[in-house]
Amino acid sequence: APEQPQNLSCIQKGEQGTVACTWERGRDTHLYTEYTLQLSGPKNLTWQKQCKDTYCDYLDFGINLTPESPESNFTAKVTAVNSLGSSSSLPSTFTFLDIVRPLPPWDIRIKFQKASVSRCTLYWRDEGLVLLNRLRYRPSNSRLWNMVNVTKAKGRHDLLDLKPFTEYEFQISSKLHLYKGSWSDWSESLRAQTPEEEPTGMLDVWYMKMHIDYSRQQISLFWKNLSVSEARGKILHYQVTLQELTGGKAMTQNITGHTSWTTVIPRTGNWAVAVSAANSKGSSLPTRINIMNLCEAGLLAPRQVSANSEGMDNILVTWQPPRKDPSAVQEYVVEWRELHPGGDTQVPLNWLRSPPYNVSALISENIKSYICYEIRVYALSGDQGGCSSILGNSKHKAPLSGPHINAITEEKGSILISWNSIPVQEQMGCLLHYRIYWKERDSNSQPQLCEIPYRVSQNSHPINSLQPRVTYVLWMTALTAAGESSHGNEREFCLQGKANWMAFVAPSICIAIIMVGIFSTHYFQQKRRHSCPWTGS
């Protein structure tokens, strides 16, 4: 005989749908089996449907239960019959409210009154008997849903906790009764972006000063973008206000779409700037800073600054508090930028702020492997600042090439070697030393060398240990902490020396004296021969 069908359940999808039931057949008997589904209801009504498929586990009665008597009981039963007998499931009893699953809500819309995120209403359409809804919504870039249950919403609900200028995904589900029945499937998603609001928060502003001449200085301001939650909209521009505080001069205002601004001001006076961000709804509160010499107070300079690689694309900067009372420090600022030998002011500037009790910072923003960075740590106290600097890299290896010697000149018995800097992309980290090698031409002896510390601005160095009238071959290399580069170009040079100069000049002087003597003697002889004799009166 067939096994008894198990777990009989019935459902009607939507108020206008039809009743369909499913069950589990049990173990396969490998015999032809027929299934009969029977439904009985009030007033001795009975419906029956047959399935002559051995693997049948689903039947649709094709009838619609109506809500006239929502509490009326219906009983379903399925019977399996084969050549060896029959077996019936346990009866499943239910009401209209138990088995009707509403259709998902449709025509979902959202409205923002007066373009305000704080006055937001979600609208939808539902089947007529729906009593309960659940709403879920989330920012499009989030996995976590916010859930709200609402009763007798009648197709609308106000949302009060949405964030400005954020794309949200909304879905709604419905149910006919608080305790009976099942939830509908979730509706199709509605995606909508909330309106902008006035920016909140304040810009993080930093600056650099550069001396131009005795009366002028260049001020370069930089600021970071507001976070999405602070900007609360698309930032259209930034307003920069520059003012001289002591002289009462008129303010200079500028509107820019960039995150930096440069101007030239006198070196005298006390200057202050204010920077704010604006979107379509308004502006953020201005960030105000006084322009000062950030490195003027030597006693405020942080001590023992070090920079060490901390894995890929990270540098750990550490320091000790300044000698001046450490409690006077209000904050530290760690600044870094790619090191360029020409002092390029267009190189992007990066910085982070650290509270006065911290003596280390991990820098990772815009850090690339095999690039050397100039790192400065500023200690700020009121209208004073002190700074210390160091070079650092996150990863290094030996430079790809050595310096290119472009000139060798002789100066008072020694030579001056000049070279071109190694291209930044070939330095492979922070350079520590240069080495100048030389040896006699055609000699098999080991070359002599001079090692000099690397300095950004240096591109020449004297050598005073070469012998006169000897031809030398010279070349250079560069070193990082990882090793030495291959050597650069070779140049030959022969030092003429003081002895050679005297050997040339002394005979020339002697010849000149002899020639002057010969011509002088000849001249006086000729003059005596042709002069008139003197006669008395």
Side-chain angles (χ1 to χ4, degrees):
E3 282 200 351
Q4 180 186 32
Q6 302 286 331
N7 298 326
L8 175 64
S9 65
C10 300
I11 188 172
Q12 177 176 306
K13 291 186 176 180
E15 296 175 14
Q16 305 301 318
T18 56
V19 178
C21 300
T22 61
W23 61 89
E24 295 176 5
R25 297 188 308 270
R27 182 174 54 86
D28 192 358
T29 61
H30 302 287
L31 296 175
Y32 174 74
T33 305
E34 290 184 357
Y35 291 89
T36 301
L37 182 63
Q38 182 177 318
L39 178 66
S40 58
K43 302 177 183 179
N44 295 321
L45 293 174
T46 301
W47 297 269
Q48 189 170 292
K49 199 78 177 259
Q50 269 194 334
C51 178
K52 297 184 178 182
D53 182 352
T54 300
Y55 301 104
C56 184
D57 57 6
Y58 169 85
L59 274 172
D60 190 329
F61 279 112
I63 63 168
N64 168 254
L65 299 187
T66 60
E68 280 84 6
S69 301
E71 301 294 338
S72 298
N73 287 324
F74 296 83
T75 300
K77 182 175 68 172
V78 63
T79 302
V81 180
N82 65 16
S83 59
L84 298 180
S86 65
S87 180
S88 296
S89 69
L90 295 174
S92 173
T93 301
F94 49 81
T95 67
F96 171 85
L97 293 174
D98 289 326
I99 71 162
V100 174
R101 173 184 289 179
L103 295 176
W106 67 94
D107 193 18
I108 303 174
R109 312 175 309 280
I110 192 167
K111 290 186 178 179
F112 300 97
Q113 297 184 32
K114 297 183 178 180
S116 172
V117 71
S118 62
R119 305 183 68 180
C120 163
T121 304
L122 194 65
Y123 295 90
W124 67 92
R125 296 178 65 187
D126 249 330
E127 292 191 291
L129 296 178
V130 167
L131 179 67
L132 184 65
N133 291 101
R134 57 181 180 178
L135 287 61
R136 67 179 187 180
Y137 55 97
R138 64 183 177 183
S140 296
N141 59 359
S142 172
R143 293 184 176 182
L144 301 177
W145 291 95
N146 298 293
M147 193 80 72
V148 178
N149 288 331
V150 292
T151 306
K152 298 181 180 179
K154 298 189 181 300
R156 60 167 291 163
H157 181 70
D158 295 331
L159 296 172
L160 306 177
D161 61 345
L162 301 185
K163 299 176 181 177
F165 197 60
T166 303
E167 184 182 68
Y168 278 90
E169 178 183 7
F170 302 89
Q171 286 185 318
I172 309 173
S173 177
S174 303
K175 198 165 177 277
L176 298 186
H177 194 274
L178 291 176
Y179 312 111
K180 294 182 179 182
S182 57
W183 286 99
S184 73
D185 293 332
W186 288 105
S187 66
E188 292 186 1
S189 291
L190 168 69
R191 294 180 180 271
Q193 181 164 286
T194 55
E196 295 188 0
E197 293 289 339
E198 188 176 68
T200 185
M202 298 171 66
L203 293 166
D204 182 358
V205 181
W206 191 236
Y207 65 98
M208 289 177 55
K209 293 173 61 175
M210 189 174 72
H211 172 78
I212 296 179
D213 54 35
Y214 70 93
S215 63
R216 298 179 302 155
Q217 58 184 338
Q218 177 178 288
I219 303 298
S220 297
L221 297 172
F222 307 88
W223 52 90
K224 298 182 180 181
N225 291 319
L226 294 174
S227 66
V228 173
S229 62
E230 292 174 325
R232 305 208 300 177
K234 181 181 178 181
I235 297 301
L236 302 177
H237 61 260
Y238 299 93
Q239 179 168 302
V240 183
T241 303
L242 176 68
Q243 184 178 19
E244 205 285 316
L245 299 177
T246 55
K249 297 180 180 178
M251 294 186 297
T252 300
Q253 292 188 335
N254 186 275
I255 300 296
T256 177
H258 304 288
T259 55
S260 62
W261 185 67
T262 298
T263 189
V264 175
I265 61 175
R267 295 182 63 186
T268 57
N270 295 321
W271 295 87
V273 294
V275 188
S276 60
N279 64 16
S280 65
K281 292 295 186 71
S283 299
S284 67
L285 292 174
T287 298
R288 304 180 188 277
I289 56 174
N290 293 326
I291 302 297
M292 61 180 178
N293 190 336
L294 293 168
C295 296
E296 188 173 32
L299 292 177
L300 273 177
R303 297 176 297 123
Q304 300 176 26
V305 176
S306 66
N308 298 294
S309 173
E310 194 76 9
M312 184 67 74
D313 300 338
N314 291 288
I315 301 175
L316 180 63
V317 183
T318 61
W319 62 89
Q320 291 298 314
R323 296 188 184 280
K324 189 175 180 179
D325 183 8
S327 63
V329 177
Q330 294 173 332
E331 71 170 337
Y332 293 104
V333 175
V334 181
E335 170 195 288
W336 66 98
R337 63 190 303 180
E338 290 185 25
L339 181 67
H340 280 255
D344 187 358
T345 57
Q346 302 302 314
V347 177
L349 186 71
N350 308 276
W351 73 95
L352 60 79
R353 299 179 184 274
S354 183
Y357 50 79
N358 274 1
V359 289
S360 67
L362 186 67
I363 60 177
S364 56
E365 184 181 0
N366 296 325
I367 296 292
K368 295 177 284 189
S369 299
Y370 309 118
I371 296 293
C372 186
Y373 293 88
E374 182 181 11
I375 301 168
R376 292 195 177 197
V377 181
Y378 298 89
L380 304 182
S381 176
D383 59 352
Q384 289 186 314
C387 74
S388 297
S389 63
I390 195 171
L391 301 181
N393 49 237
S394 68
K395 197 172 182 182
H396 54 249
K397 58 185 178 181
L400 300 182
S401 64
H404 180 88
I405 300 176
N406 57 41
I408 302 177
T409 56
E410 183 173 344
E411 294 185 355
K412 299 180 180 179
S414 65
I415 63 170
L416 183 68
I417 300 177
S418 301
W419 61 85
N420 297 331
S421 298
I422 302 173
V424 171
Q425 65 272 17
E426 296 182 10
Q427 294 181 12
M428 308 312 290
C430 293
L431 300 182
L432 302 179
H433 303 281
Y434 286 131
R435 284 180 180 172
I436 303 174
Y437 289 88
W438 67 92
K439 69 173 185 176
E440 295 181 18
R441 188 179 60 188
D442 303 327
S443 170
N444 293 324
S445 61
Q446 289 294 318
Q448 300 182 63
L449 69 90
C450 170
E451 186 172 276
I452 54 178
Y454 172 78
R455 289 196 295 274
V456 177
S457 58
Q458 182 175 10
N459 61 0
S460 63
H461 188 76
I463 298 291
N464 54 18
S465 56
L466 271 60
Q467 297 298 316
R469 298 189 297 277
V470 175
T471 301
Y472 289 91
V473 178
L474 300 95
W475 66 91
M476 291 183 66
T477 64
L479 292 88
T480 65
E484 185 174 11
S485 71
S486 58
H487 66 72
N489 65 316
E490 294 184 350
R491 291 286 294 261
E492 292 187 0
F493 190 79
C494 180
L495 182 66
Q496 296 302 313
K498 186 176 180 180
N500 280 354
W501 182 81
M502 288 301 295
F504 172 78
V505 173
S508 301
I509 294 175
C510 294
I511 293 171
I513 292 173
I514 292 171
M515 293 300 294
V516 169
I518 292 173
F519 281 109
S520 298
T521 303
H522 180 72
Y523 171 78
F524 283 114
Q525 287 177 348
Q526 290 296 323
K527 186 174 182 180
R528 184 176 297 170
R529 184 178 301 145
H530 297 288
S531 61
C532 295
W534 177 84
T535 57
S537 54

